Amino acid sequence: MSDGILSKAATMEIPISSNGDAGSLPEDDGLEQDLQQVMVSGPNLNETSIVSGGYGGTAEGIIPTSTIKGSGLHQPHAGPAVGGEEVVRGIAVEKFDIVKKWGINTYKCTKQLISERFGRGSRTVDLELETQIELLRETKRKYESVLQLARALTNHFYSLVQTQHALGDAFADLSQKSPELQEEFGYNAETQKLLCKNGETLLGAVNFFVSSINTLVNKTMEDTLMTVKQYETARLEYDAYRTDLEELSMGPRDASTLCRLDAAQSQFQSHKDKYEKLRADVAIKLKFLEENKIKVMHKQLLLFHNAISAYFAGNQQQLEQTLKQFNIKLKTPGTEKPSWLEEQ
């Protein structure tokens, strides 16, 4: 076998034993989901296209068939009709080739996946990278929990502020209509109005926190995980074509086999290049994501702590200073929904 097959460059092939790594999902459920992923992206027969392989890949160089339609396919004259038939025949042949390539690729990947799951094959593993990927997924789950709780806090506190606002109005009204308790109702009305104002300020800070965490989790982290999914697809394809090449290399060396071996070597190299590129892309994205996460969370956790502490200490000046420190500007409430309440 050639040196190109044996060199793994920071990765290694590990055999999957019968009690080996079957993932975090139960074997049957995990295998079913992975098989669904293998089959999910079929060839697009509404377009003629040149596909660069991969059941999870994207079509490149797409030429819509609409650019060919109307070029004489339904003309009554013999000349254009013959040309139309040739165009249709060419499109049919190209679509057949697309289906054939997709089917072969899907078959190889499905075979590799089943082989891995049932301990009859090996898979390429980058231990350091896969540890980082699993850590990212776990971190995302925990941050999603924090985001859900912070949104719940925002909703509950919004209801509290609305109640305080209504209570302050009720006290103010009674102060005017109850001369004997005018003073008592009056200072209670002022207290509720002050609490309401401070509550609106705190809601502005908490909502800024929620918005920033939402962006981090559902945009920044999700973007990295999309690249991870592409990498995992490329890894499966790479191992599928590696296994295919290894099996051919162990067979007889007649003329027919040598021809198939050359084609398999070419396909293997193409998928290896794709795998290594995506592996490098994931490593870079994970590095920048970690740096961005630390920067964002340092700012947001400081904001959250200072705002909550100032509010419950009754320090209005410190609360307002916290919003100025983080450049949070509150629009004047008065619309149906206050500007500081995130759209749920």
Side-chain angles (χ1 to χ4, degrees):
M1 194 158 42
S2 66
D3 295 338
I5 301 175
L6 296 175
S7 62
K8 292 303 177 217
T11 65
M12 62 180 180
E13 298 166 27
I14 61 171
I16 310 299
S17 62
S18 58
N19 61 348
D21 179 17
S24 59
L25 292 170
E27 184 173 276
D28 291 344
D29 292 343
L31 179 59
E32 182 179 354
Q33 289 190 22
D34 286 339
L35 286 173
Q36 288 175 353
Q37 182 184 2
V38 169
M39 298 300 296
V40 71
S41 300
N44 187 349
L45 300 183
N46 293 323
E47 298 172 330
T48 59
S49 59
I50 301 172
V51 183
S52 60
Y55 57 83
T58 57
E60 297 178 356
I62 295 176
I63 307 173
T65 54
S66 58
T67 61
I68 303 174
K69 292 178 181 178
S71 59
L73 296 181
H74 302 289
Q75 297 296 328
H77 302 293
V82 173
E85 289 176 1
E86 291 176 353
V87 171
V88 170
R89 188 179 299 110
I91 293 173
V93 170
E94 186 174 358
K95 287 182 177 180
F96 175 78
D97 288 340
I98 293 169
V99 173
K100 182 180 177 182
K101 290 177 182 178
W102 174 82
I104 292 172
N105 187 76
T106 302
Y107 167 74
K108 291 181 185 294
C109 291
T110 302
K111 179 183 175 184
Q112 174 67 24
L113 181 63
I114 293 174
S115 178
E116 291 176 8
R117 285 303 175 98
F118 290 97
R120 295 191 294 270
S122 63
R123 66 186 293 263
T124 302
V125 177
D126 187 324
L127 291 175
E128 181 180 358
L129 190 63
E130 293 196 11
T131 299
Q132 293 175 1
I133 290 171
E134 184 54 37
L135 180 61
L136 169 59
R137 288 185 168 130
E138 179 64 21
T139 300
K140 185 172 183 286
R141 286 191 291 268
K142 291 179 178 178
Y143 277 37
E144 284 171 339
S145 178
V146 169
L147 180 60
Q148 183 181 11
L149 291 169
R151 280 176 168 156
L153 177 65
T154 302
N155 289 333
H156 295 321
F157 204 78
Y158 172 70
S159 297
L160 173 63
V161 171
Q162 292 295 93
T163 303
Q164 289 174 329
H165 188 277
L167 188 59
D169 288 344
F171 283 149
D173 181 62
L174 285 167
S175 175
Q176 296 176 359
K177 297 177 180 178
S178 307
E180 68 283 0
L181 293 171
Q182 182 178 9
E183 184 178 350
E184 289 82 352
F185 277 126
Y187 59 65
N188 272 284
E190 291 300 320
T191 299
Q192 292 303 316
K193 288 180 180 179
L194 177 60
L195 289 173
C196 186
K197 181 178 183 300
N198 289 347
E200 290 174 352
T201 306
L202 177 62
L203 276 169
V206 174
N207 191 65
F208 186 77
F209 174 85
V210 167
S211 177
S212 299
I213 303 303
N214 180 63
T215 299
L216 178 63
V217 171
N218 292 315
K219 292 184 180 178
T220 312
M221 288 185 177
E222 188 61 30
D223 174 72
T224 301
L225 286 174
M226 287 298 295
T227 305
V228 167
K229 289 177 183 177
Q230 294 172 3
Y231 158 75
E232 290 172 340
T233 296
R235 196 284 304 166
L236 182 63
E237 291 177 335
Y238 165 70
D239 278 335
Y241 283 87
R242 172 184 58 78
T243 300
D244 187 50
L245 179 59
E246 290 171 351
E247 290 175 352
L248 282 172
S249 298
M250 292 186 291
R253 297 302 182 96
D254 53 36
S256 174
T257 304
L258 288 174
C259 182
R260 291 172 58 198
L261 193 60
D262 287 342
Q265 178 67 52
S266 175
Q267 291 174 331
F268 163 76
Q269 188 61 48
S270 174
H271 286 286
K272 180 183 178 183
D273 293 343
K274 179 182 177 182
Y275 162 73
E276 291 181 344
K277 179 184 182 302
L278 281 166
R279 184 179 65 187
D281 289 347
V282 169
I284 291 172
K285 284 201 171 188
L286 286 171
K287 179 178 181 295
F288 283 114
L289 174 61
E290 183 64 18
E291 294 174 356
N292 186 48
K293 182 192 74 175
I294 293 172
K295 181 179 178 181
V296 169
M297 292 308 297
H298 173 77
K299 175 180 178 180
Q300 294 305 316
L301 291 171
L302 186 62
L303 162 68
F304 192 83
H305 173 271
N306 289 353
I308 292 286
S309 298
Y311 174 83
F312 285 99
N315 192 334
Q316 180 182 359
Q317 183 179 2
Q318 182 62 40
L319 182 60
E320 292 175 351
Q321 183 60 37
T322 297
L323 267 68
K324 290 181 181 179
Q325 177 185 352
F326 292 93
N327 298 317
I328 302 172
K329 297 180 180 179
L330 299 180
K331 296 179 181 178
T332 304
T335 57
E336 292 183 5
K337 288 187 178 180
S339 59
W340 31 255
L341 180 63
E342 183 187 30
E343 295 291 341
Q344 298 294 319

